[in-house]
Amino acid sequence: MRVLVIGSGAREHALLLALRRDPQVDWLGVAPGNAGTAAIAEQHDLDITSGAAVVALAQKVEADLVVVGPEVPLVLGVADALRAAGIACFGPSKDAARIEGSKAFAKDVMAAAGVRTAGSEIVDNPGHLDAALDRFGPPAGQAAWVVKDDGLAAGKGVVVTTDRAAARAHAAALLDSGHPVLLESFLDGPEVSLFCVVDGETVVALLPAQDFKRVGDNDTGPNTGGMGAYTPLPWLPAETVTQIVDEIVKPVAAELVSRGSSFSGLLYAGLAITSAGPSVVEFNCRFGDPETQAVLALLESPLGGLLNAAATGTLASFEELRWKDGAAVTVVIAAENYPGRPRTGDVILGAEADGVLHAGTARREDGAVVSTGGRVLSVVGTGTDLDSARAAVYARIGAIKLPGSHFRRDIGLAAAEGRINL
């Protein structure tokens, strides 16, 4: 099977590594890729937001399956263009991708499916903002204000704060830029990311993970696209995962089918495990980064076969997934000033090693690997338990040098110390 992966991040690097382990996969391509993916897949320059360009490349390389990694091309309908050309694609249609592209659409789907989620209100008029803020946040008995960009924001469009002025400033800035604002009630309890491969109403859950959005240790600082993740979750009962699939993911998948927007691809449920049970924070329409790097490190089943089954409508007959024992931890190395405007162009030493996945990197003509973005590398460690996986990942980080870079030192620490309870 010839597989073309679309994207350039650590998520795509992780997908390629897992696909390479599948004996059914005999060729790998990536577009546009990065300095790390170039070592394991044929690399192609490409405008990934152009359906016509993606189709032309897939036809040129004779791809049997195209895996679309990022959300933007999915929201723009690239998967539809591939399917219209008769090319199998792992990734939802433009209609189905609205589950991530529009939080208002996602809320409507959840309401129709009877799925528990935070109370919310869309604000699209600056004149209505103050009254709406008064209905949410600490004055209304909530722990904090939750203010979100209604559209795509690469994980950085969310502010959770007890400071009304900060909440208002974020909301006003979004409205000034023409973006509707979603206000939500605060969901207390530990967060869980659950990836599900979905084919219509067929749902296959992967291992649950937990990611870390704040830039600093102990969840301090602004939100980012994700600074690390670990899997599995020793504090989360297996029956809770079953409950999430049965009471949340399957009803949402069925609701999308009933609307003529059947989902085919990876449906990501971001949840809070509240005192009332699992509640949805958000849905994404693709593999999440950095959770993917940890989850796929433990997958033993053939990834190419799994993704192809979803893309070709045969997921219901795919074998039960197999997983390695133990745990995996991913830690993101970010450039100086991230999540603000990152410093780029610095030479990275030690990046070409096992367990080091590339995101914001490129190779210069002299062969040096340099930084090109905010989240530069994801480093993965595995072990028999969370303690050993954490030790492995931080040992690998110690061998990497990037001027001005930073990373969190507490990824998975609370779970390893037994400090997370339901």
Side-chain angles (χ1 to χ4, degrees):
M1 179 165 50
R2 297 173 63 85
V3 182
L4 173 64
V5 174
I6 303 300
S8 61
R11 166 186 52 216
E12 286 74 37
H13 197 167
L15 285 164
L16 288 164
L17 288 171
L19 287 164
R20 189 171 64 169
R21 298 195 297 267
D22 186 340
Q24 296 178 335
V25 177
D26 52 20
W27 179 88
L28 284 171
V30 62
N34 56 49
T37 60
I40 56 175
E42 188 175 293
Q43 204 127 309
H44 296 267
D45 289 330
L46 183 71
D47 175 5
I48 65 172
T49 65
S50 167
V54 175
V55 167
L57 176 59
Q59 292 172 332
K60 177 183 176 182
V61 301
E62 299 180 329
D64 300 303
L65 173 67
V66 177
V67 179
V68 182
E71 63 275 21
V72 172
L74 292 169
V75 169
L76 293 176
V78 166
D80 303 82
L82 286 161
R83 292 192 180 99
I87 301 167
C89 175
F90 183 82
S93 67
K94 180 178 181 178
D95 275 350
R98 288 182 293 164
I99 198 77
E100 178 172 1
S102 168
K103 294 178 179 65
F105 175 79
K107 290 290 187 182
D108 187 62
V109 169
M110 285 186 274
V115 167
R116 185 186 297 109
T117 186
S120 65
E121 181 177 339
I122 291 286
V123 180
D124 56 10
N125 184 330
H128 299 162
L129 177 57
D130 286 304
L133 284 170
D134 290 341
R135 289 190 286 272
F136 290 82
Q142 302 293 331
W145 279 278
V146 181
V147 183
K148 297 182 177 181
D149 189 332
D150 181 53
L152 298 177
K156 293 182 284 186
V158 181
V159 163
V160 180
T161 180
T162 57
D163 184 340
R164 188 183 191 281
R168 191 187 190 287
H170 182 63
L174 291 173
L175 289 168
D176 287 347
S177 63
H179 291 224
V181 169
L182 181 78
L183 299 181
E184 282 189 335
S185 56
F186 180 78
L187 294 176
D188 204 0
E191 292 196 2
V192 173
S193 298
L194 186 65
F195 296 167
C196 293
V197 178
V198 175
D199 167 18
E201 295 191 38
T202 302
V203 174
V204 175
L206 308 189
L207 288 179
Q210 186 177 58
D211 78 332
F212 296 75
K213 290 294 188 188
R214 300 281 188 171
V215 72
D217 288 352
N218 301 313
D219 291 327
T220 57
N223 273 335
T224 71
M227 294 299 293
Y230 69 95
T231 188
L233 310 182
W235 48 268
L236 186 71
E239 54 265 31
T240 303
V241 176
T242 301
Q243 180 186 9
I244 292 167
V245 171
D246 290 344
E247 297 181 5
I248 293 175
V249 183
K250 285 185 176 179
V252 165
E255 175 62 21
L256 289 171
V257 169
S258 73
R259 294 179 178 218
S261 302
S262 180
F263 195 99
S264 174
L266 196 290
L267 186 58
Y268 167 131
L271 310 123
I273 310 302
T274 72
S275 57
S279 186
V280 176
V281 176
E282 65 176 354
F283 278 108
N284 290 340
C285 65
R286 39 71 194 185
F287 278 102
D289 182 346
E291 299 98 318
T292 299
Q293 293 88 292
V295 171
L296 292 186
L298 298 182
L299 180 66
E300 283 194 334
S301 294
L303 181 63
L306 174 65
L307 305 187
N308 192 59
T312 57
T314 59
L315 183 62
S317 60
F318 194 78
E319 64 186 31
E320 184 176 351
L321 297 187
R322 304 186 310 277
W323 299 94
K324 299 174 185 176
D325 293 332
V329 177
T330 299
V331 178
V332 171
I333 297 179
E336 182 177 341
N337 200 44
Y338 178 81
R341 182 183 294 276
R343 168 175 160 176
T344 60
D346 289 304
V347 174
I348 311 166
L349 300 179
E352 297 175 275
D354 289 344
V356 181
L357 307 180
H358 290 230
T361 69
R363 191 177 298 278
R364 291 193 318 209
E365 290 185 3
D366 63 3
V369 176
V370 297
S371 60
T372 62
R375 290 190 296 170
V376 181
L377 302 169
S378 284
V379 185
V380 181
T382 58
T384 55
D385 56 20
L386 264 178
D387 282 325
S388 58
R390 277 178 39 81
V393 73
Y394 286 109
R396 283 176 169 166
I397 288 174
I400 299 169
K401 307 299 179 186
L402 171 61
S405 63
H406 59 96
F407 58 91
R408 284 185 59 161
R409 291 171 168 79
D410 63 344
I411 303 301
L413 179 60
E417 294 179 344
R419 292 189 280 114
I420 301 180
N421 298 292
L422 298 181

